[in-house]
Amino acid sequence: MSDLLLDCRGITKRFGGLVAVNALDLQIPAGSIHSVIGPNGAGKTTLFNCITGFYHPEEGEILLGGSHHLEFLRTDEITRLGVARTYQNIRLFPELTAVENVMVGLHARLESSLLGVLFSSPATRKEERWATEEALRLLEVVGLGGKGDGLASNLPYGDQRRLEIARALATDPKLLLLDEPTAGMNTGETASMIRFIRRLRDDLDITILLIEHDMKLVMEISELITVVDFGQKIAEGKPSEILANPRVIEAYLGRGAAEALDVRTAAAAPGAAHDATSDADADAAADTASDSGTPPGPEPTSSAGSQPDPVDEGGGSA
Amino acid sequence: MPWSRRLRRLHPTDVIMGIVGASVIAVVLYGSYETLRSGRYDGTDWFSFLVAGLTQGSIYALIALGYTLVYGILRMINFAHGEIFTAGAMTTFYLATWLSGKGWLTADRLGSAAGARVLGTIVLLIVFSALISSIVAVVLERVAYRPLRGAPRLIPLITAIGASFFLQYTLRGLYGSGIRPYPDVSVLNRELTFGGGYSIAMDEVVVIGSAFVLMLALVAFVQGTRTGMAMRAVAEDRQAAALMGIDVDRTIATTFAVGGALAGAAGVLYALLFRQTQFFMGFIPGLKAFTAAVLGGIGNIPGAMLGGLFLGIAESIGPFLFLEGLGIPSPNQLKDAIAFTMLVLVLIFRPTGILGERVSKRA
Amino acid sequence: MSALLERGAARVGLRRGLIGGAVVLLVSLVGMVEAFAKRSIVHELLGPLGAGLPIQLLDLGQVAWIGAVLLSGFAAARELLDHGEDRPPAGPALLAGGITGAVAGAMPALLVLLGTRFDLAEVFDKARPQLYALLSWGLVERGTPSGVDAFLATILMCVLAGVVGAAVHLMPPAHRKALGVGVLTVLVMGTIQDLLQKIDFVERTAWLSGLYDALYTREGMEPLGAALLLAAASGLHLVAPGIRAARERRRGDADAAGDYGDAPPSARERTMRWLGLGGIALLLIWFPFGFGKVPADVMDLVGIYILMGLGLNIVVGFAGLLDLGYVAFFAIGAYTVGILTTTDPDVGLQFGWSLWQALPLVVLFTIVAGVILGVPVLKTHGDYLAIITLGFGEIIRILAISDALKPFMGGAQGITLIPKPFDLPEIPMPFAGNPSEALIGRLNPGIQQEIYFPILFAVIAAAYVSWRLRHSRFGRAWMALREDENIAEAMGINLVSTKLLAFATGAVFAGIGGALFAAKLGSIYPSSFGLLVSINVLVLIIVGGMGSIPGVFVGALAIVGLPELLREFEDFRLLLYGAVLVVMMLKRPEGLWPAAIVQRELQRESDATVLP
């Protein structure tokens, strides 16, 4: 535990009477790949939203690199400190091109002043050139080379996920939060995503925090897994430890099932079941997103009641 | 969230806005104090301001209900609602003039048979106007709004702005741009007097009374009928309602019809009170009523009623209460500014309104 | 018979007819038919053939209501299309068109029948004998007692129009489109006749005035000229795709090489672009000299609206913040100039500054105002933002009109005696025979338009600033904000400063517009700063295409320029604006000249639908 990048201590987030995250501790060492798993509505995405400043926890501390208190910062300040994320329901800027999406991600790293822009100073021109090249390079990195020209909303679903990662990488993160990065992907795509996530950590030295329902991926890639249920941490450990933990199985299948089933088979089954449902959901979301060309979610304060909150699995969904 | 945390997260702009809000309150308090100290107005004056405010406010409340119903169900501001109000009032003008020519609006006193006929005629006018406005609202929904379900939010709003101008100037083209004087119902000019110089004009009684009855009817409709239940269901969750077998399109059309009817009724009441109609008569009351809906918490039916009454009273008392105390000349000119300032302040400091936005339960 | 009724032709015809008839009634009763009838398009349409007929010329009023029937017939035919078809079957289509025409025509016919018996004018302001005469081809006017012939004539004409409309849909799409372009050209050219009359250089240039005389009579176009024009325009449109295809092919090669939307253009393209820009610049500089006073006056107004449009385009089009109180900044600019420069001893601060001294303060004040009005609305979105800004705009106007601030702002009487920006000597008008004097005379109307050049300069500067910002990190931040505020924030974009920058930039543009407006008119009144200004600006950027800089120019010309020239539109201006807003939102939300990316994607989509 020498080099903690992210240290969450006792964070609690309530929505009215519902406690979405309850006194949760989470320690992420720098350079690790860490997964958070748990049933739907367990509070995983709420946790992400707390870390990235979309929500502000009522209690607890979130420390980045040992010194920055994220719980008091705005989302953009947190991003500038090197925390980037992707979203469960893809959240691109649909009416911008893929390149522009990534260039927006570069925003915080650009420094041209207003005057420089207006008078087209050499420094600004140089920076803009760099930004374009960097954006194209990042598209190349995620495997979208040559597809930068089209509107983000017109990309196929898998490419949209990749573009979201490219955009997150553009902010130059130290910590990357991936919310179900392989939802809706087939086996082959999932395998390449696993390799890609590894490369991010190994080559770019980015610490990864992952929410995922695909147990195969989680078990294969994670160095440490935290299991959350009803907003509380119920288990933490290496993949092998988690697989053998009766509380985890109980959380996924209920008490009766845990007693009746053989521990090992039960551990494999729920993953598959969840995978299937989340695939269907994600596909449906992608369909609507690309059909209508509208952003998948409305604005938060005045949004329609029938649709899920933009950056959330639904505050009251439990 | 604990206060210590809120303080840590305070943005400079929040501080500025806090100071602005506090200074507005301070100025209002100071102005009120000055006025009250000077004793410029006595109890009967304040009473008549209050009644005038309630009268105006009940009209705002009726219009505001239309905004709130539509917002509740579609999450859109029907910018053209003020014109729906005008459409009813202006069309009814001709019926009113005709009936007035037949002597149906003349009576010596309300207690007589002729008085009953006057009241009956007013009811007839209200029903007619409600019908016209209702039709306009439904056609508007069908033609302009329905094809835009699910479009990005700016698009229906811009459409509504366009519809507002279209309707306003269509009415101008159809009925002319001049002011048309509504028939004078002289029996309503009488005053009910109480002891000590307190009195209420009959037209104010009629307006407040009709508005009250209409609001009760609306609540009964929304709470007590199957259609009302369907409306609430669609407002809650359109998709789920559709799955339950509710005809969403029809329910939305009904909502527009009901909101339009209330606006049409308000149009007649407004015309009775001010005795004139003109093509842009609905614009400012429409904005005010929207303010009222926001004040009460848009999407919230009791909120719209309370917001309307509150706005009416604030507008009627405010200029005399605190603007005059500040030594501002002809404070009544700034009546509209009070309404809009209230709108701005409410939207900034409590966007969910006094009673809370009905849809803001989620995080 | 059953073959004719295929695909529910009768039902479609009835429905379209009812809609079309309602539109006809609307345009008649709001007074458009009568008002537009004053503008002739083609003189003696049928030539000698029509001598005995009541129709002597084609006027815009007829275009409005017959056109509505014709388009209804067209729409009826289109409704009969099966998926993937270009052309409906002829029989049912013509039948549907005929029924549409009959149903639609029955409504104005009934109106005439009723109107000649009862006095409808008591209710409907515009239901006058003149209207009935127009709707019945003058038959009513001749005093036929029964009016049955008028009734039948109206219906017959409408049936004809409906059938023609449907028949147009039987043409191959390319021809149909070419015909549409041709008809539109004739309509436009006919409509702008008196505008052409007002242009000085047309009168002065021999071949142009010759062309004018050949094309136009005193009232409307020559029928032959109109026919030739129609043929020429349609023909050009038929040929154009070939030329465009060749150009596309060339550009396609370039696209394949480049990868990003704004790929650097080739050297040749760049020269062409600069040449084009230079040509436009020369034309604009020459404009007040060549076109004369009236068109230049209109251009001043268009220019001021372009300034505001560019500003609101940043706020609404780029950053997605719907501001309905935009006029507030226009008013602040105008009043700042008014208060600082007026020579009226009763109003203002008696500084007696010139416009140029006041301008820096205008910029400063509007930036401050943009921030002051921006801070409170930082946390409001969409609808609420629209209403709250509308409230701000109204508050500013109410304050300007109130007695409370009368010593500074002049109350309802406004501020007068605002000095002109230049102190130019009067130049005597020319008299014949003296060449140098004639030259000065030629310059004279231009110099009268002294404010034209500051406006031109301001517009160019504003367009440049918009364009620079659009392609910078600021512009991208705005667009991210527009698309998704939460995610924009998660990209490290500071929402507060980004929004305030948008408000402030937009405010400065409007403020300069207001300053120039005050200097141009020499006096300002609170009534010039109503909500309508905000709506005008909003309409023009929507018509042009939200977020599109060229769209602002197109929109301003269409929305501000055209109505200024076509005075009879004045009464219907807002009615038409309203209709335009609704129709644009329903049918073409991207505007006439969409932002480049949207344009490209639309192109891609239409390509995709054409190719299997």
Side-chain angles (χ1 to χ4, degrees):
Chain A
M1 292 307 234
S2 56
D3 204 8
L4 275 188
L5 180 62
L6 185 74
D7 187 1
C8 303
R9 293 186 204 147
I11 51 176
T12 299
K13 177 69 200 169
R14 301 187 188 90
F15 297 106
L18 174 87
V19 186
V21 177
N22 193 357
L24 194 85
D25 291 328
L26 187 67
Q27 275 80 32
I28 317 277
S32 65
I33 296 181
H34 193 124
S35 291
V36 178
I37 63 170
N40 280 326
K44 306 182 296 290
T45 299
T46 308
L47 172 68
F48 268 30
N49 284 337
C50 288
I51 296 171
T52 49
F54 285 115
Y55 294 156
H56 298 282
E58 277 85 12
E59 287 159 32
E61 293 178 305
I62 306 170
L63 280 166
L64 184 74
S67 56
H68 297 288
H69 273 269
L70 300 189
E71 72 269 26
F72 297 128
L73 297 179
R74 290 193 314 270
T75 304
D76 60 310
E77 294 167 329
I78 293 171
T79 306
R80 282 163 190 267
L81 289 175
V83 180
R85 69 175 286 191
T86 66
Y87 303 85
Q88 188 180 355
N89 312 313
I90 299 174
R91 300 284 299 274
L92 293 164
F93 302 117
E95 306 247 314
L96 301 188
T97 63
V99 175
E100 281 174 328
N101 264 277
V102 182
M103 285 175 89
V104 170
L106 291 167
H107 180 89
R109 294 162 70 190
L110 303 180
E111 288 162 350
S112 357
S113 68
L114 198 55
L115 286 180
V117 166
L118 291 185
F119 296 107
S120 192
S121 71
T124 306
R125 278 205 301 261
K126 197 172 141 206
E127 193 181 76
E128 278 296 297
R129 245 193 330 269
W130 174 81
T132 314
E133 278 161 20
E134 177 70 5
L136 291 170
R137 189 187 67 82
L138 283 167
L139 285 178
E140 205 77 51
V141 166
V142 298
L144 289 177
K147 291 187 183 171
D149 219 3
L151 288 192
S153 53
N154 289 359
L155 287 175
Y157 179 72
D159 286 354
Q160 292 197 5
R161 284 235 174 263
R162 283 176 226 274
L163 177 56
E164 222 186 11
I165 294 178
R167 190 181 64 179
L169 290 178
T171 63
D172 194 21
K174 286 186 283 210
L175 173 65
L176 180 59
L177 283 64
L178 299 172
D179 199 341
E180 299 196 28
T182 64
M185 289 188 172
N186 63 29
T187 331
E189 287 172 329
T190 305
S192 82
M193 181 58 77
I194 292 176
R195 284 194 300 277
F196 180 69
I197 294 174
R198 282 232 175 82
R199 257 182 52 215
L200 287 180
R201 197 266 309 264
D202 298 343
D203 299 352
L204 301 175
D205 212 17
I206 297 172
T207 309
I208 308 277
L209 179 58
L210 192 71
I211 293 178
E212 189 50 73
H213 280 302
D214 185 336
M215 283 303 145
K216 191 168 154 290
L217 180 145
V218 170
M219 295 303 159
E220 193 178 331
I221 202 171
S222 314
E223 280 141 17
L224 214 57
I225 297 174
T226 303
V227 189
V228 181
D229 195 18
F230 292 108
Q232 278 173 308
K233 178 150 80 178
I234 57 170
E236 190 165 61
K238 297 198 177 79
S240 54
E241 296 165 8
I242 294 299
L243 273 180
N245 189 326
R247 280 197 70 189
V248 177
I249 298 152
E250 191 186 305
Y252 269 84
L253 281 186
R255 190 177 298 274
E259 284 162 4
L261 285 172
D262 171 56
V263 168
R264 218 157 257 289
T265 50
H274 272 285
D275 197 27
T277 50
S278 68
D279 275 6
D281 290 348
D283 281 346
D287 283 349
T288 49
S290 56
D291 279 352
S292 58
T294 51
E299 300 157 39
T301 46
S302 50
S303 62
S306 59
Q307 287 171 296
D309 205 52
V311 287
D312 188 30
E313 55 199 337
S317 65
Chain B
M1 205 184 294
W3 276 104
S4 58
R5 287 200 169 221
R6 289 201 181 174
L7 281 178
R8 284 285 301 268
R9 300 210 346 97
L10 216 53
H11 194 273
T13 56
D14 298 332
V15 179
I16 297 172
M17 288 320 298
I19 294 171
V20 170
S23 29
V24 169
I25 291 171
V27 167
V28 166
L29 287 180
Y30 172 75
S32 312
Y33 168 74
E34 284 290 317
T35 307
L36 293 177
R37 205 183 47 146
S38 74
R40 205 173 284 129
Y41 303 106
D42 63 9
T44 56
D45 291 327
W46 292 120
F47 181 75
S48 66
F49 294 153
L50 184 72
V51 172
L54 269 181
T55 315
Q56 182 74 62
S58 53
I59 292 175
Y60 289 156
L62 284 180
I63 311 175
L65 284 169
Y67 279 110
T68 269
L69 287 171
V70 168
Y71 191 89
I73 208 159
L74 280 183
R75 309 284 181 274
M76 77 166 274
I77 295 171
N78 180 13
F79 210 87
H81 194 59
E83 277 58 51
I84 291 170
F85 158 92
T86 316
M90 285 194 82
T91 312
T92 312
F93 164 80
Y94 301 99
L95 183 65
T97 315
W98 186 58
L99 292 177
S100 167
K102 284 177 166 302
W104 286 28
L105 284 171
T106 333
D108 292 335
R109 54 194 183 82
L110 281 178
S112 63
R117 193 172 63 184
V118 169
L119 290 182
T121 311
I122 290 174
V123 171
L124 180 70
L125 293 178
I126 289 179
V127 170
F128 181 75
S129 178
L131 194 71
I132 297 287
S133 291
S134 218
I135 293 170
V136 174
V138 170
V139 171
L140 176 69
E141 191 273 328
R142 179 69 194 81
V143 173
Y145 300 157
R146 191 177 296 179
L148 294 174
R149 301 262 166 84
R153 292 172 66 86
L154 272 190
I155 289 191
L157 181 62
I158 292 169
T159 309
I161 294 170
S164 164
F165 279 88
F166 178 77
L167 284 177
Q168 195 173 332
Y169 283 83
T170 300
L171 289 170
R172 179 180 185 259
L174 290 180
Y175 299 139
S177 54
I179 296 176
R180 304 244 169 167
Y182 238 63
D184 185 11
V185 188
S186 53
V187 65
L188 293 185
N189 295 344
R190 309 248 172 105
E191 298 206 329
L192 280 179
T193 46
F194 316 104
Y198 292 92
S199 65
I200 306 185
M202 277 315 294
D203 56 0
E204 292 176 329
V205 175
V206 167
V207 169
I208 297 175
S210 321
F212 188 69
V213 170
L214 284 165
M215 287 189 243
L216 278 186
L218 175 78
V219 172
F221 175 76
V222 173
Q223 297 296 332
T225 64
R226 281 183 65 85
T227 320
M229 199 159 76
M231 277 165 61
R232 281 182 291 146
V234 175
E236 199 67 47
D237 185 337
R238 199 184 303 165
Q239 270 135 4
L243 289 176
M244 294 297 153
I246 293 173
D247 184 340
V248 172
D249 279 343
R250 222 175 107 181
T251 308
I252 292 175
T254 313
T255 309
F256 270 85
V258 172
L262 292 173
V268 171
L269 299 180
Y270 188 89
L272 281 178
L273 205 59
F274 296 100
R275 302 219 179 83
Q276 59 184 44
T277 59
Q278 201 181 11
F279 70 98
F280 59 76
M281 65 184 272
F283 195 75
I284 293 290
L287 285 181
K288 301 269 188 67
F290 174 77
T291 306
V294 172
L295 273 175
I298 195 155
N300 181 324
I301 290 176
M305 300 177 188
L306 272 183
L309 296 178
F310 181 71
L311 183 71
I313 292 170
E315 236 185 56
S316 136
I317 291 184
F320 303 104
L321 181 60
F322 53 83
L323 288 183
E324 198 152 356
L326 295 172
I328 291 172
S330 22
N332 227 1
Q333 280 180 337
L334 297 179
K335 203 171 78 173
D336 291 354
I338 291 185
F340 292 125
T341 311
M342 273 172 63
L343 171 72
V344 170
L345 291 179
V346 168
L347 282 179
I348 292 164
F349 290 107
R350 194 173 162 79
T352 52
I354 303 168
L355 294 192
E357 192 175 335
R358 209 191 47 75
V359 291
S360 63
K361 270 178 273 171
R362 296 163 319 103
Chain C
M1 195 62 203
S2 61
L4 271 183
L5 290 174
E6 208 183 329
R7 303 187 186 176
R11 196 176 37 79
V12 168
L14 187 67
R15 215 168 67 81
R16 288 289 165 183
L18 285 174
I19 298 174
V23 173
V24 172
L25 280 187
L26 190 80
V27 294
S28 308
L29 286 177
V30 299
M32 279 196 212
V33 169
E34 206 185 317
F36 292 178
K38 291 181 190 115
R39 195 170 284 266
S40 317
I41 294 188
V42 183
H43 190 72
E44 290 183 349
L45 179 63
L46 299 177
L49 281 179
L53 290 175
I55 324 169
Q56 281 304 319
L57 40 74
L58 182 68
D59 64 53
L60 203 57
Q62 287 165 340
V63 171
W65 75 275
I66 294 282
V69 179
L70 205 124
L71 287 178
S72 300
F74 183 79
R78 191 174 55 193
E79 210 176 317
L80 295 178
L81 287 180
D82 262 348
H83 186 70
E85 271 182 339
D86 279 345
R87 282 181 270 177
L94 293 178
L95 179 72
I99 293 174
T100 304
V103 175
M107 296 199 206
L110 271 175
L111 176 69
V112 174
L113 213 56
L114 281 176
T116 44
R117 279 163 181 72
F118 306 101
D119 185 13
L120 295 184
E122 262 184 30
V123 176
F124 296 112
D125 198 49
K126 307 296 181 334
R128 289 185 286 233
Q130 296 94 306
L131 175 67
Y132 305 140
L134 288 165
L135 289 178
S136 64
W137 313 105
L139 288 175
V140 161
E141 212 174 22
R142 294 184 183 181
T144 44
S146 73
V148 170
D149 55 346
F151 184 82
L152 290 178
T154 305
I155 291 189
L156 195 71
M157 193 65 206
C158 289
V159 170
L160 199 65
V163 171
V164 169
V168 170
H169 215 302
L170 298 176
M171 299 165 68
H175 295 181
R176 197 195 304 156
K177 222 171 166 180
L179 181 67
V181 169
V183 170
L184 207 67
T185 312
V186 171
L187 288 182
V188 169
M189 290 306 285
T191 311
I192 61 171
Q193 180 182 9
D194 64 348
L195 162 67
L196 295 177
Q197 269 175 339
K198 282 179 202 148
I199 298 177
D200 289 0
F201 77 89
V202 172
E203 215 177 311
R204 285 201 306 264
T205 318
W207 68 272
L208 274 179
S209 58
L211 194 63
Y212 178 90
D213 288 340
L215 217 49
Y216 293 100
T217 63
R218 195 178 306 159
E219 201 182 355
M221 296 174 90
E222 296 277 5
L224 187 65
L228 285 177
L229 191 64
L230 188 139
S234 302
L236 263 181
H237 190 265
L238 273 181
V239 183
I243 301 170
R244 203 177 309 149
R247 209 175 56 194
E248 286 293 308
R249 234 174 293 129
R250 249 178 291 136
R251 190 184 299 168
D253 296 342
D255 262 7
D259 36 17
Y260 179 42
D262 297 301
S266 68
R268 216 188 104 175
E269 259 183 319
R270 208 177 302 173
T271 349
M272 290 306 285
R273 201 177 284 176
W274 280 116
L275 278 178
L277 280 178
I280 291 173
L282 279 179
L283 183 72
L284 285 173
I285 291 171
W286 172 73
F287 189 90
F289 305 106
F291 279 66
K293 179 155 172 48
V294 176
D297 263 338
V298 172
M299 278 304 267
D300 288 348
L301 201 64
V302 170
I304 287 169
Y305 269 95
I306 290 176
L307 266 178
M308 284 197 278
L310 286 169
L312 193 64
N313 188 45
I314 288 178
V315 182
V316 181
F318 292 172
L321 306 161
L322 184 53
D323 183 350
L324 293 183
Y326 192 60
V327 65
F329 305 119
F330 184 61
I332 288 171
Y335 269 98
T336 304
V337 167
I339 290 170
L340 293 176
T341 66
T342 181
T343 51
D344 184 341
D346 296 333
V347 188
L349 298 175
Q350 310 304 322
F351 285 172
W353 287 10
S354 76
L355 172 67
W356 313 113
Q357 286 167 308
L359 264 184
L361 271 187
V362 167
V363 172
L364 187 72
F365 283 1
T366 42
I367 288 177
V368 171
V371 172
I372 288 179
L373 298 193
V375 166
V377 301
L378 284 172
K379 284 179 187 156
T380 52
H381 308 258
D383 304 0
Y384 280 3
L385 179 72
I387 298 291
I388 206 170
T389 48
L390 191 154
F392 274 142
E394 285 295 293
I395 291 172
I396 297 258
R397 191 183 58 83
I398 293 166
L399 287 180
I401 215 168
S402 73
D403 292 343
L405 293 173
K406 193 164 178 179
F408 300 103
M409 304 174 71
Q413 284 76 46
I415 300 178
T416 53
L417 303 177
I418 299 169
K420 294 269 158 201
F422 301 107
D423 200 8
L424 289 178
E426 283 285 314
I427 299 171
M429 284 305 281
F431 43 90
N434 185 337
S436 67
E437 295 255 328
L439 180 69
I440 290 171
R442 227 174 242 212
L443 289 173
N444 196 32
I447 291 168
Q448 282 171 0
Q449 288 303 315
E450 55 199 34
I451 199 73
Y452 176 88
F453 291 100
I455 291 175
L456 182 63
F457 178 77
V459 165
I460 291 170
Y464 174 78
V465 169
S466 291
W467 175 74
R468 287 297 312 165
L469 288 174
R470 161 69 184 77
H471 295 280
S472 74
R473 68 192 194 102
F474 302 106
R476 288 191 296 270
W478 285 332
M479 282 181 289
L481 191 72
R482 176 188 74 197
E483 301 285 303
D484 193 327
E485 194 168 312
N486 295 72
I487 307 305
E489 194 177 12
M491 293 295 115
I493 291 167
N494 182 333
L495 296 184
V496 172
S497 61
T498 306
K499 285 185 180 181
L500 290 184
L501 180 65
F503 279 122
T505 317
V508 169
F509 287 7
I512 293 174
L516 294 169
F517 179 76
K520 175 181 165 57
L521 294 188
S523 48
I524 46 175
Y525 307 97
S527 57
S528 313
F529 304 98
L531 175 65
L532 293 184
V533 177
S534 303
I535 298 294
N536 278 347
V537 181
L538 182 68
V539 174
L540 83 85
I541 65 170
I542 284 164
V543 167
M546 264 197 274
S548 153
I549 296 171
V552 172
F553 288 76
V554 173
L557 282 170
I559 291 301
V560 183
L562 273 185
E564 283 300 317
L565 297 172
L566 309 173
R567 275 290 154 191
E568 61 267 42
F569 278 83
E570 192 51 45
D571 276 348
F572 310 103
R573 188 171 181 159
L574 285 154
L575 197 162
L576 292 171
Y577 283 5
V580 162
L581 274 187
V582 174
V583 172
M584 290 294 278
M585 286 299 108
L586 290 175
K587 302 286 180 203
R588 201 179 157 88
E590 71 278 2
L592 291 180
W593 191 314
I597 290 161
V598 182
Q599 213 168 22
R600 186 150 37 82
E601 290 299 318
L602 287 172
Q603 185 62 37
R604 197 168 291 181
E605 269 164 38
S606 68
D607 288 352
T609 49
V610 170
L611 302 170

